[in-house]
Amino acid sequence: MASSDWDPATYSEFAELRARPFWDLIEQIDISDPIQSMADLGCGTGELTVALADRLGIDRVIGIDSSPAMLDAATTHARTDRRFEAGDIAAWTTDEPVDLIVANASLQWITDHPTVLRRWIDQLAPGGRIAIQVPANADHPSHTCSTAVASREPFSSVLGPTPPPDPVAENVLPPEHYSTLLHQYGIDAPHVRLQVYPQVMASTAAVVDWTRGTSLTRFFKVLPPDLHDAFVDAYRTELLETVGEQRPYLYTFKRILMAGRLPR
């Protein structure tokens, strides 16, 4: 990976596995009355954004993302009533409240979830819905091994004594905390659950291809390009030494799904 930006091709390599939690999340949205407008915060390539809009018949859609590469991919799905814009989802607000806010695997990159959730819910129209999914697997070797590699040379000299922290470990709250926050912010009967997604990979090493499109990107933003491949190789070695070479490999991926709506 020669760029510090997100790589849509790498991220989309496991598109089907990444989509499963999204659609499980969508099943929790109350669709007893029409949803006319939606904001997808952290829309990525926009494929799931437009698929959801088509499924629910949503008229007005905006997707927000901070990655130029992801937005370039998303623009292929744009039309008059479906816009994709660059922005900071943590600070996002709208002059026209929306009926649905979706944030799929994006909130974990943001600090201070209580403040961000309060801000997002304030952008909902009366009766508006919110649906959020975050990974919760910071204790898995797929995450801990990259942190271990970052503390060694030649990477530690560049990354310094405090390498980029794991956003999942730093930012994601316990499921019950999210339930409390959503209730405090006016969400009626919030649905929050921790779910394990058993992802069967061809081998343990295949996990490297998964994480280089997500968790490892924080290191690529700091390391010079000539150290990217070396970091991935060292991470692969660390992961195989920790987990062992398994074919196939069951990658147990924990995620938190939360959804609810404001009173009408």
Side-chain angles (χ1 to χ4, degrees), residues 25-125:
L25 175 66
I26 298 311
E27 289 297 321
Q28 307 308 317
I29 297 174
D30 181 355
I31 56 172
S32 58
D33 54 292
I35 298 174
Q36 297 180 329
S37 59
M38 175 182 78
D40 186 355
L41 305 181
C43 61
T45 61
E47 293 178 5
L48 293 176
T49 312
V50 298
L52 175 57
D54 288 341
R55 176 180 291 195
L56 299 185
I58 302 174
D59 297 326
R60 300 187 307 279
V61 176
I62 183 168
I64 305 294
D65 208 284
S66 61
S67 165
M70 288 292 199
L71 287 171
D72 282 346
T75 54
T76 63
H77 305 291
R79 63 190 201 194
T80 303
D81 56 350
R82 295 178 182 176
R83 298 180 291 118
F84 296 93
E85 299 179 357
D88 177 3
I89 64 172
W92 176 81
T93 59
T94 177
D95 294 332
E96 189 173 354
V98 295
D99 296 327
L100 172 63
I101 289 175
V102 175
N104 182 54
S106 57
L107 180 62
Q108 74 274 11
W109 295 99
I110 301 171
T111 61
D112 193 3
H113 288 187
T115 297
V116 173
L117 287 175
R118 172 78 274 181
R119 181 178 296 116
W120 287 358
I121 291 170
D122 284 345
Q123 311 312 308
L124 291 173

